[in-house]
Amino acid sequence: MSVRALWIISNEKGESVAVKYSRRYPTVEQRAKRLAGSLYVGVPEDNTVLQLLLTELGLSDPDKPYMALRDDCLHQPRSPALEIHVEGPSGGVIWPMLAISQGPLILACLPLVDAPSEFRPPLASLFSVSQGLTLLAGLLAFLLGSKGKPDSEGLATRLAMLPSVVLQVCPLGTPLDIPQPGTVATPTVPTPAGTQKQPAWKTGLHRGRAVVNVALSEMVRSMQYGHEHRQDLWDVYGTVTCKCEVEGVLPNVTVTLSLPPNGSPLLDVQVHPCVSSLDASILAAMSVEDCDSSAFSGPYKIPFSPPLEPFRLCSYTSQVPVPPILGTYQLKDEDNQLHLTVSLKLHESVKNTFEYCEAHLPFFNRNQIGNVEVKVTSGQLDVSKEKNMLVWVLGQRFPKSREVSLEGTVSFSGLLPGPKDPLCSELTAYIKLYFRVPDMTLSGCCVDQHSVQVYSSAKPRIVTSRELLSSEYYIWNSTGNAPVSSGHSLL
Amino acid sequence: MINKSRKERCTKSTHRLSALLEVGSVSIMSVSWPERISSFMRSPSQFMCSTTAEAFLAEILRELRDDRASDPIKVLLLSPLLEHPTLLCPSVSVGEETALELMSVFSQCPLKSLVLRCHLLLALTSVLICSSCVNSHTSACQDFLDLLFQMAQDTNNVQAAVLPLRATACDCLRELEACLPGLLSQRLELLSNLRQKENSGLHQAYTGLHTLALRNAVYLLTQREGTGAGDLKAVLASSEGFVWGERADTASLDMSLLSALTLGLMGRVPTLQTGPDSKELRSLLSSLLEDSYLLTSLSQAALLRRLVEILAMVPAVSPTIFRAQLLRLLGTCEVCLLHVTLLMKAAFTDSLFSAEDEAFLLKRLVGLSQHPLLSTPEKLFYIDCILHFPENRPISCGDGDESLPVLFTPRLATALVPTLFNDSASMLARFKLLSLVYLEEGAEDQDGQGGRGLAYLYDHLTSLLRIMENQGSREMVVTFFRACFLFLLYFCQVRCYSEDLTQRLSGMYRKQTRLAPHLINLADRTQEHLDQSGWALALLKSLQRTITEAPLAQLTLQDLRWHLRILARVAEEGEIPQRATLSFLLSVITSSSSVLCVSGDWHLGASMLGVCRRLLLHPSLDSLLTPLADLLQHLTCHYGDTDIQDHARLYYTLLTTLSREKLAGVMSQGVPERGRQAKVRSLSAIVSETEELTGCLTVQHTERTLLALVRLDSREPGHPEPVSKTCSEAIPGGSPGQEAVDIEDYKAKLQSFNPEITLQYHLTHTGVHDPRLTSSSAFACTLTSQTGATRRVDQGTEAEGV
């Protein structure tokens, strides 16, 4: 249930790769040694670990096209656990090294295999693996900060805080907690010695006006091919984020999600560990099986006792009957220039008030854009600064007809070559849509202000909001060879 | 806090250490502590080159006692002890002395120095456990345990400031119990009370400590003869001292105490027969479960894991006590909580999980394996969980191999088909999973073509191939070949696909010769794993055809380099006719348009000779004699590089004068490739073969360093620097810094008026004795010189000597 060592590596482009922080747990190492017996392989020094890890991750020697150690096809890195091959007389294989990377950071830890050494147990049977994954994900979130993207200054500050953070969350190799990203801004007081047990995940108590903030955010993905043999795909996933400033050691709050009368049920519901109980019917519907029309479709009551910091109360997926924007895209290659025809139609059920709506038409494996003769029925068309993409700004509203189109020709007579993409060769091309519609969800899911119940003395202020965002929203050129994105054709 | 006797011992040890401090003070340079500590932590071995562990430890301890040093510096000073205690305290006695020192520092530390005090406790735990003081049950250890227990029990002090110290004390106690299982097995009642009474967030630390001690205590009971309900009751209510017991001897320690008990291997868990009467345990476990919600996810999962183990050992308590928590756990978004639920299922199967629960859990895993909100490592972990799904009634014997759960239908699997939008690891994980699904599906297929699923996988492979033809990234290329290998591993027998793949790969090679090393690697691996299928041979044959049948006019030098690598690999196959290869080489080298011979590129020449060398070993050599001799002769006479000419001449001579068997013997010496080592044989036909003689006449490989090249440094002739350890290693070695200086020197030399570099080495015997080597052994010395990115192995300088 423990980790033997922990590493934080920065891998910024242009800069050298370096171990920024490492922590070894010698008492855990001692147990590892006793358990492994003669097969024990010690953890090498940081620089060696770094090199071996980069090789396993396929990141070492980026200039060399082939390296047997790194690129052997026998080696199948398809699990979160890597094998590290230590050379030398005391060498051998170190397993299971867990590594996660995001942006410029690589985080790794080596969980203890608490099994006798005669056989290698399946990864799924090692409890320390999920503990290690949770710890790494927590540390990563802490290091990346609230924005989810590291700014070098903030990162340096948080890296400097690591020794004290690790002292708290993993003092002797057994992960106890994950660090809280950011500090809690609201006034809190340490717990008085009361009769009620304080949750270990709550560092203090809130004092002051009770405010409950529930934000529902839905993301819609789509792959539209405009092809009779290829089914268009779209789905929705949503998250409910809460920030609760409520007094009491263990205050009770209930949030109820509800759907319109014939809305399709929420699928794959996952909840935060602070949710105190769940009804089986809430969990029953799942996206991987055919939806039963008689399935439970709310209201979804979620009782919980909130932590002090903002948290994701729950998430779900949903299969909605129509995509919010249905599009077609057609390209024709005519004498070194492309003829484009695009049409986009906003579905009538979607509110026609966008915060923003843009269509990006990137062009790969061609020279820079030269002449553009394109007309749009609505919005404004620009060529990106790099001259490799058309940006169609549709603004806040679709016209009354809810349909917009684009037609014209683009030539690629620029002197410089544009960006390369192995997927988008020849006529394989896409439009990617970016939009946000405030105060609506595609699934129809909503949190009514009055349905939020807080069992505390003071009457709380309750704020709810919802939004629809695009995510991975592609419309493929129907005259090209679009890549398959799901196994739907097999059904 | 420290009693009198301990104080005395501290003073004594201070005296003893003061002698060391003298030594230490000498090496204190102007370098600041943060720099020194970080240099130690970066590489302890390198740091120890400039000082000794003893001196460094003494310095650290002295600085820790220095009142002028700030707390952050002292915390920093503790990190070497915290992370590398075995290096600094290699023996029990040093560990004991260091621990006494640290305890003395702790006792004198002001109460407000909370962080330092916490670090001191952690460092003490590390030192005592790792220097084996705990196993020897030294007095320092006893004192430290008393101190920890005292702090853990100090519940009257409710000031928020001391809470972290109490939490740390509990963590230290838990670590001690983890390394010395059973240590706290007679203090369960006290621990239980502490846990129940604690209302601050600290109850989590007590819970962790209590459950681990309880788990170990129950296990120890199962190991005693004839224990029952009464003994369990007594243990739960025990409030005695620490149990050092026979644990002092680590060798006798039962490994099960350290390892997880329910590793999916039910039946091996020892059980305690308590009869139905175990209500004390039941109520204790219920109360632990009730409060589990108040713990952080990580600690909650750890608690549940321990409880699963305890319940597995005490069958009298039904696992249904978990039922109330189950829905909450099944719906969780935390990977550690869902994982512990799976482990729970593995331990209790249908006594806790119904068939519906099982179906739900599996579908849940499939959903999570492709959930857009989850990180890649989490998704990969869930796919792994599907492959090791703990079924209520498993069909396979559960030997840890990957297998598909019965409920994992092809319908469910479609959610996890690999697509071009996946990252490499996810794509391979999905490819493997789906291969297993369609392997079963294909077995039921009548026409042997595999079903639509297999067609999908093959389509995916060809899509990847298309991407590669569009200059896909290195990562894409590597992933494609891995996917190819997986596909072949499962579906090599499906002819329509494996033959088509061969064709496509050859076609791809024609366009992208740079992929040669990947293709060779794929051929090697499929040959190792699917020797029967003959697929690798077919691929190599097809590649040979691709190379030899292409019009020569379009051949570029770069292509030729890759072709030669492929042809060399093809030449290793006895079953592949080599005539085409030879005529290709001959036409390349003799064609009128060829500038190859004139240019005299050493690398190309060497690659060409590499093919020839393999052909010399080819079983069909007799039929290749004339063209091969022609080729070698042409190289000897016309190639523009003397070294290549010499080699070609040597091969020509060997080919034309030696018998087949001797030739094979000579050529196969010392080149074990990819494990296909040539059969070791004596070359002498004059003397009859004895074992000793065979030993003398064959090349021996040794792990240890027998000979060393010692560089004669012109600047400091008195101190020869050992450069390379084994005769197989590259020269020069040495430190990277030194290497950089050398390179600069050489560069300056080469640009000077007299561009000549003299390297002087002594070849010395290291004194290592190897029984296989007698005084009459012959050694071959291969010199390798490296220029820029290229590396030249000069085999022509083999020197033999007695």
Side-chain angles (χ1 to χ4, degrees), chain A residues 1 22-24 26-28 30-31 34-35 45-46 58-60 62 64-66 70-80 99-100 114-116 119 121-127 129-131 133-135 137 167 171-172 174-178 190 193-201 221 223 237-239 250 268-276 278-280 283-284 286-290 304-305 312 315 317 422-423 425 476 481 483-487 489-491, chain B residues 41-45 82-85 119 122 125-126 129-130 171-172 174-175 178-179 195-196 198-201 203-204 250 253 255 258-260 263 265 291 293-299 301-302 305-306 327-328 331-337 339-340 343 360 363-364 366-368 370-374 377 380-381 384-385 388 400 402 411-412 414-415 417 419-421 425 428-429 432 438 452-453 456 466-467 470 472 474 478 481-482 485-486 517-518 521-522 525 529:
Chain A
M1 313 232 262
S22 75
R23 178 77 165 84
R24 280 142 205 277
T27 52
V28 183
Q30 226 221 8
R31 272 181 274 157
R34 277 152 74 182
L35 279 162
E45 289 183 0
D46 285 358
L59 297 172
S60 62
K64 293 188 185 162
Y66 179 83
R70 183 190 63 194
D71 302 327
D72 195 334
C73 69
L74 184 64
H75 174 59
Q76 301 273 332
R78 55 184 172 81
S79 115
I100 59 175
D114 52 356
F119 70 106
L123 194 69
S125 72
L126 293 177
F127 177 63
V129 170
S130 61
Q131 296 261 302
L133 284 176
T134 308
L135 177 68
L167 172 73
L172 285 163
T174 305
L176 305 171
D177 196 1
I178 52 168
T195 48
Q196 199 170 20
K197 273 194 200 297
Q198 167 98 355
W201 33 264
R221 300 188 288 183
M223 286 281 173
Y237 58 97
T239 59
L250 208 58
D268 304 327
V269 175
Q270 278 179 278
V271 298
H272 190 270
C274 78
V275 172
S276 47
L278 264 184
D279 198 85
L283 295 178
M286 280 183 279
S287 60
V288 293
E289 60 182 353
D290 287 324
F304 60 97
S305 183
R312 188 195 286 162
S315 69
T317 67
L423 202 60
S425 61
W476 291 90
N481 191 6
V484 181
S485 63
S486 86
S489 59
L490 292 169
L491 295 179
Chain B
M41 300 300 267
R42 217 170 21 245
S43 171
S45 66
L82 203 56
E83 297 192 41
H84 299 276
H119 272 93
L122 297 176
T125 310
S126 278
I129 291 175
C130 296
D171 290 336
C172 293
R174 202 203 47 231
E175 197 58 25
C179 292
R195 177 185 71 80
Q196 278 171 342
E198 187 63 50
N199 282 341
S200 77
H203 61 81
Q204 172 164 294
T250 45
L253 178 68
M255 282 304 158
L258 292 176
S259 44
L263 214 60
L265 300 164
D291 292 345
Y293 169 75
L294 301 172
L295 309 186
T296 62
S297 303
L298 281 164
S299 300
R305 176 93 187 97
R306 290 299 177 209
L327 270 174
R328 193 168 70 79
T332 188
C333 63
E334 293 281 348
V335 59
C336 56
L337 285 174
H339 187 205
V340 82
L343 295 173
F360 170 83
K363 279 184 266 181
R364 185 91 180 164
V366 176
L368 291 173
Q370 44 107 40
H371 200 288
L373 287 169
L374 264 52
L380 291 175
F381 180 67
D384 199 79
C385 288
H388 294 102
E402 291 175 335
R411 169 84 180 75
L412 263 185
T414 52
V417 296
T419 77
L420 295 178
F421 299 96
L428 289 172
K432 157 99 185 192
Y438 299 138
R452 278 200 301 164
Y456 179 92
R466 232 184 348 266
I467 285 189
N470 295 326
R474 174 170 65 78
V478 174
F481 280 98
R482 286 174 177 162
F485 179 68
L486 266 183
H518 294 277
N521 175 246
L522 183 66
R525 294 312 187 189
H529 289 83

Side-chain angles (χ1 to χ4, degrees), chain B residues 72 100 150 160 180 204 219 280 302 355-356 506 566 627 661 698 760:
Chain B
L100 289 171
Q150 198 182 335
L180 274 93
Q204 172 164 294
Y219 180 81
E280 288 83 5
E356 288 81 49
S506 304
I566 297 269
E661 202 180 19
T698 49
Q760 285 191 308

Side-chain angles (χ1 to χ4, degrees), chain A residues 309-353:
Chain A
E309 64 282 345
F311 66 100
R312 188 195 286 162
L313 176 67
C314 71
S315 69
Y316 59 82
T317 67
S318 176
Q319 279 158 3
V320 288
V322 286
I325 297 175
L326 192 65
T328 58
Y329 185 23
Q330 278 189 316
L331 285 179
K332 268 183 214 148
D333 212 340
E334 294 169 346
D335 319 319
N336 267 339
Q337 59 180 17
L338 278 182
H339 185 255
L340 287 73
T341 321
V342 180
S343 80
L344 301 174
K345 188 174 187 339
L346 179 67
H347 193 263
E348 56 199 13
S349 66
V350 180
K351 243 169 84 176
N352 191 1
T353 23

Side-chain angles (χ1 to χ4, degrees), chain A residues 218-250:
Chain A
E218 227 170 57
M219 265 68 68
V220 57
R221 300 188 288 183
S222 185
M223 286 281 173
Q224 297 176 24
Y225 300 104
H227 213 283
E228 53 185 309
H229 301 302
R230 184 89 57 89
Q231 200 186 341
D232 289 352
L233 305 168
W234 58 88
D235 66 359
V236 156
Y237 58 97
T239 59
V240 181
T241 314
C242 292
K243 168 117 178 67
C244 302
E245 294 165 357
V246 186
E247 289 192 334
V249 174
L250 208 58

